[in-house]
Amino acid sequence: MTEVNNVELEARLENRERFEPPESFVEQANIVDDAIYDEFEGNWPDCWKRAADLLDWETEYETILDDSNPPFFEWFTGGSLNASANCLDRHLEDRGDEAAIEWVGEPADEDNRTYTYNDLHREVNEFAAALRDLGVGEDDIVTLYMPMVPELPIAMLACARIGAPHSVVFAGFSADALATRMNAADSEYLVTCDGYYRRGDALEHKAKTDEGLGGVDHDVRTVVVDRLGDEYDHPMASGEFDYDDLVAEQAGTKVEPVQRDAEDMLFLMYTSGTTGEPKGVKHTTGGFLSWASWTSQAVLDIKPEDTYWCSADIGWITGHSYIVYGPLALGTTSVMYEGTPDHPTRDRLWEIVEEYEVDQLYTAPTAIRAFMKWGSQYPKRHDLSSLRLLGTVGEPINPRAWKWYYTHIGNENCPIVDTWWQTETGGMMLTTLPGVKDAKPGSAGPPLPGIDIRVVDTRGNEVEPGKAGYLTVNKPWPGMLRTLYNNDDRFISEYWAEYSDTESDDPDDWVYFPEDGAKIDEDGYITVLGRVDDVINVSGHRLGTMEIESAIVGVEGVAEAAVVGGNHELKGEAVYAYVITEEEFDGGEELRSRIVEGVEDAIGPIARPEEIVFTPELPKTRSGKIMRRLLEDIANGEELGDTSTLRNPDVVRDIEATVGDD
Ligand code: WTA
């Protein structure tokens, strides 16, 4: 790209200019008519038939939306279907020999695996039969504690086939985190693996699993996938089964897909909230699958003949919706990569894009910031001309990173969709339809058609354009969470805005509160500002400050702790921990490393504090609440605002001095 061009682009970004969809994209886009916004609004909720129609239903639904018992909204009531049949069986006739999953292992000399729809169908059936033989029945929750190996989506679809909801626990989470989730879900079945590769090293996973199982308060039957072969020997205990043996025993077995009610649970996904207890977000078969499929088609522009790649981990919601369910329901080829982007070299992703001729790439701003830092020489080494659309998710993307992505990856020829959504929403909510709307770097965009999102003040009144407020979703949508597992009360108190009339059975009185701050522009584009609760977003991973605090307080010698998110160049936010030690303990290196260990044991390395600041006191209000905002300002080295309401104003100077010392 020439110098002149670059200056022009800078100016366009400076002016918050919009970027029109490239003509070549519009010519082939799944959605090209702006009228869809009015059409959906005028025809709401019947417009959602369009999402449901992307699926094959065994029994047609009777009602699109049942809103008689808000906020327990139900979608496609009376319908029945099976998610694995929708992701596999229905594609066999036309696309049986086409790739469903292109799996790329991390080692450069790996025998990468291609699963055609026929292959995937066969193995999902065999594993579904094996799970049944192990005793898994309809509605039994199966925990999947697995890294990015093909057996993970296979296990998910096998569970879906027999109507057993899965609960995937991110492989990077600790043994304790596994135990907490298995206990909370009363899950008696677990699929795990021996280990996996990370930056060239074989990491063990089985010993961590065993440790986690030690904390589970009921019997568990465990299946172990052998990823590492001879590299890592894992002893098998009784009640444990080898995945390959189970599948081999079932060679050729077919399992009739269980017809699930549209509202039956497809999966649970534990995510972080304000309190220390993770929340079991419940997603349903009809609503979630239609939502993942519809947004994959409308926003990611997926067509069956595409090779599409979402570089997230299936251990998070993004991988559920946009590596597994959405793309496979549409019959496309979904790429799945085991490892990190810098192994063996920093052009690994670009090498994969080139080799597989990837059409769409969906990744996270934190990754883009790392690519920027590494430099454009890495993507330059590869032919990326197969790309036609780029996407981001997980956190706001700043215009500079947007520009880098647009220029160096998209060659100024691909629309970028900045997609705002959450574990709870099941799929995308706020983003541009790439063949219809211009992109405005830094703003996720307007709500998708049929989605009613507003930016409001604490009373629920819409704020003026340009002013910060809270994001709310004012109408239900098919992909929404239905409740928190076994905890309807918490579901209501966590998500339905305080001004919602919780006594009312008028659905309009109920407003969903995602806990994000935002501002809206005159043109209706929304810029998401970040969480307004005690959740921090580290490299796009959602972590609860309370979970981290309770891990730190559990370390011997710690009296009190407060955790906040501080700005971080690559991670977006990083964990800052302020710690008061017990009297007889010193805040030194030894305690510091025990704190890090404590956090890694309780949650996982992703939650490791970036900074640990030992302090004699924490800034508190007169009523005794920790002033997190102040601690955030200290972490970010910002000017401190009004400290007059503080009970102990001097402490702020003390902490500042300590941070300065580091
Ligand atoms: C944040 C990930 C700005 C937001 C899919 C949300 C974003 C939280 C964006 C959900 C975006 C996600 N722009 N912020 N495009 N996408 N977020 O549940 O704070 O892991 O509430 O779901 O990530 O994180 P979760």
Side-chain angles (χ1 to χ4, degrees):
M1 153 163 187
T2 65
E3 197 52 31
V4 178
N5 241 341
N6 202 9
V7 171
E8 266 174 29
L9 194 58
E10 287 288 354
R12 291 185 69 183
L13 286 165
E14 185 72 19
N15 299 333
R16 306 259 8 233
E17 227 180 282
R18 293 146 157 259
F19 288 71
E20 277 178 19
E23 235 165 74
S24 56
F25 182 85
V26 177
E27 274 165 15
Q28 57 78 60
N30 284 339
I31 297 182
V32 288
D33 192 351
D34 198 20
I36 188 169
Y37 290 90
D38 287 342
E39 192 186 307
F40 272 43
E41 199 179 325
N43 190 27
W44 197 94
D46 291 349
C47 54
W48 294 122
K49 183 175 181 316
R50 182 128 167 207
D53 280 352
L54 292 173
L55 305 180
D56 282 0
W57 296 80
E58 178 72 13
T59 322
E60 268 303 309
Y61 51 88
E62 287 149 18
T63 317
I64 292 202
L65 166 64
D66 176 354
D67 58 5
S68 57
N69 182 29
F72 300 95
F73 296 97
E74 297 196 347
W75 289 89
F76 312 122
T77 327
S80 69
L81 74 169
N82 180 282
S84 109
N86 269 283
C87 290
L88 300 169
D89 306 47
R90 65 173 177 155
H91 305 312
L92 297 184
E93 201 175 311
D94 290 343
R95 301 191 47 80
D97 293 328
E98 303 295 332
I101 293 180
E102 291 284 9
W103 179 77
V104 183
E106 190 190 80
D109 57 0
E110 180 76 40
D111 287 328
N112 295 329
R113 288 186 244 168
T114 300
Y115 288 81
T116 64
Y117 275 94
N118 280 326
D119 297 335
L120 200 59
H121 180 257
R122 184 180 331 108
E123 197 159 323
V124 165
N125 271 274
E126 290 164 353
F127 192 52
L131 286 175
R132 257 204 191 147
D133 275 6
L134 285 183
V136 179
E138 201 176 341
D139 290 319
D140 286 344
I141 294 173
V142 180
T143 302
L144 309 177
Y145 185 41
M146 296 163 88
M148 289 288 281
V149 291
E151 289 80 2
L152 174 53
I154 289 170
M156 291 163 79
L157 294 169
C159 288
R161 198 162 190 90
I162 58 175
H166 51 73
S167 165
V168 177
V169 177
F170 175 56
F173 275 142
S174 68
D176 279 3
L178 170 67
T180 311
R181 286 158 179 74
M182 288 193 75
N183 286 329
D186 246 328
S187 172
E188 296 177 346
Y189 301 92
L190 172 68
V191 187
T192 183
C193 87
D194 58 343
Y196 53 102
Y197 290 101
R198 259 302 165 277
R199 293 206 169 83
D201 296 329
L203 292 193
E204 72 77 24
H205 189 64
K206 178 64 170 43
K208 193 166 76 166
T209 306
D210 292 346
E211 197 191 323
L213 284 172
V216 176
D217 49 25
H218 51 259
D219 286 344
V220 176
R221 305 194 104 185
T222 303
V223 179
V224 186
V225 173
D226 186 356
R227 159 70 183 115
L228 297 179
D230 296 339
E231 184 109 19
Y232 177 69
D233 221 9
H234 58 283
M236 301 280 277
S238 70
E240 294 187 345
F241 303 84
D242 177 74
Y243 175 92
D244 292 326
D245 291 349
L246 291 183
V247 167
E249 278 164 28
Q250 300 290 348
T253 308
K254 290 276 181 327
V255 173
E256 192 57 32
V258 170
Q259 292 315 318
R260 299 281 281 167
D261 189 276
E263 281 294 309
D264 280 343
M265 173 157 51
L266 178 60
F267 65 85
L268 264 186
M269 166 119 255
Y270 281 90
T271 188
S272 295
T274 306
T275 72
E277 270 304 286
K279 311 188 275 197
V281 169
K282 174 183 164 182
H283 280 296
T284 57
T285 312
F288 172 83
L289 196 62
S290 60
W291 196 245
S293 309
W294 159 250
T295 47
S296 294
Q297 190 188 65
V299 180
L300 298 169
D301 200 52
I302 290 179
K303 301 171 175 60
E305 57 279 13
D306 287 336
T307 298
Y308 153 85
W309 185 16
C310 165
S311 72
D313 191 296
I314 297 177
W316 305 94
I317 191 71
T318 305
H320 280 54
S321 306
Y322 299 114
I323 296 177
V324 183
Y325 286 111
L328 297 182
L330 296 180
T332 197
T333 300
S334 186
V335 175
M336 184 178 166
Y337 172 52
E338 177 182 37
T340 58
D342 54 356
H343 188 83
T345 45
R346 289 173 165 179
D347 59 348
R348 187 68 194 272
L349 296 201
W350 319 125
E351 184 189 289
I352 296 173
V353 168
E354 180 171 17
E355 184 177 341
Y356 289 87
E357 297 180 31
V358 169
D359 294 273
Q360 299 96 335
L361 178 68
Y362 189 33
T363 189
T366 184
I368 297 168
R369 289 193 296 268
F371 304 148
M372 270 174 85
K373 197 167 174 191
W374 298 341
S376 58
Q377 67 274 25
Y378 294 105
K380 262 205 196 95
R381 287 184 196 160
H382 298 277
D383 176 3
L384 306 181
S385 61
S386 60
L387 288 169
R388 101 169 169 265
L389 173 131
L390 302 174
T392 69
V393 58
E395 51 178 322
I397 177 163
N398 66 348
R400 228 164 61 80
W402 193 100
K403 175 193 154 192
W404 193 90
Y405 198 30
Y406 183 72
T407 312
H408 297 289
I409 308 304
N411 195 26
E412 299 190 13
N413 205 24
C414 298
I416 297 181
V417 286
D418 170 359
T419 62
W420 176 88
W421 58 290
Q422 317 178 289
T423 304
E424 292 86 344
T425 67
M428 301 161 181
M429 301 290 280
L430 203 60
T431 186
T432 46
L433 286 176
V436 174
K437 295 278 187 201
D438 300 347
K440 193 158 75 172
S443 291
L448 282 173
I451 293 294
D452 183 354
I453 287 187
R454 303 181 195 177
V455 179
V456 302
D457 62 19
T458 44
R459 288 209 196 88
N461 300 317
E462 284 184 63
V463 298
E464 283 167 47
K467 293 257 163 25
Y470 301 102
L471 212 55
T472 57
V473 190
N474 292 53
K475 279 200 184 108
W477 66 101
M480 66 196 298
L481 81 163
R482 297 304 193 264
T483 191
L484 292 177
Y485 188 60
N486 277 344
N487 206 339
D488 289 348
D489 289 344
R490 188 170 177 201
F491 168 65
I492 294 179
S493 64
E494 291 255 356
Y495 297 110
W496 300 91
E498 285 191 4
Y499 56 84
S500 294
D501 180 356
T502 51
E503 299 298 308
S504 165
D505 57 9
D506 178 351
D508 290 341
D509 286 341
W510 288 85
V511 175
Y512 175 84
F513 190 60
E515 306 262 15
D516 269 307
K519 59 184 191 199
I520 191 164
D521 289 347
E522 301 278 357
D523 56 14
Y525 276 50
I526 295 176
T527 302
V528 179
L529 300 170
R531 302 286 302 193
V532 294
D533 58 359
D534 294 329
V535 166
I536 54 183
N537 191 334
V538 179
S539 303
H541 299 320
R542 183 168 154 181
L543 301 170
T545 50
M546 303 274 261
E547 285 170 74
I548 307 174
E549 282 166 8
S550 81
I552 297 179
V553 172
V555 173
E556 196 195 358
V558 173
E560 204 180 341
V563 163
V564 299
N567 297 338
H568 189 278
E569 191 193 347
L570 291 180
K571 298 177 181 173
E573 280 189 299
V575 175
Y576 273 70
Y578 298 88
V579 174
I580 303 179
T581 61
E582 282 173 352
E583 235 156 61
E584 60 277 27
F585 284 85
D586 277 341
E589 279 321 302
E590 195 266 341
L591 183 55
R592 205 180 286 271
S593 56
R594 283 196 294 114
I595 290 174
V596 169
E597 211 176 291
V599 172
E600 292 192 351
D601 284 351
I603 304 167
I606 42 166
R608 185 189 295 142
E610 186 78 18
E611 286 276 0
I612 298 171
V613 179
F614 292 107
T615 165
E617 258 191 283
L618 290 169
K620 290 189 179 159
T621 61
R622 287 180 206 282
S623 61
K625 270 186 80 172
I626 294 174
M627 294 193 69
R628 289 168 186 283
R629 184 58 48 81
L630 262 175
L631 293 173
E632 274 167 25
D633 289 348
I634 296 172
N636 295 331
E638 281 166 20
E639 285 276 312
L640 300 177
D642 181 17
T643 53
S644 61
T645 53
L646 272 179
R647 195 175 61 187
N648 42 2
D650 288 346
V651 70
V652 173
R653 306 280 157 246
D654 292 348
I655 300 177
E656 270 193 308
T658 320
V659 175
D661 288 348
D662 278 351

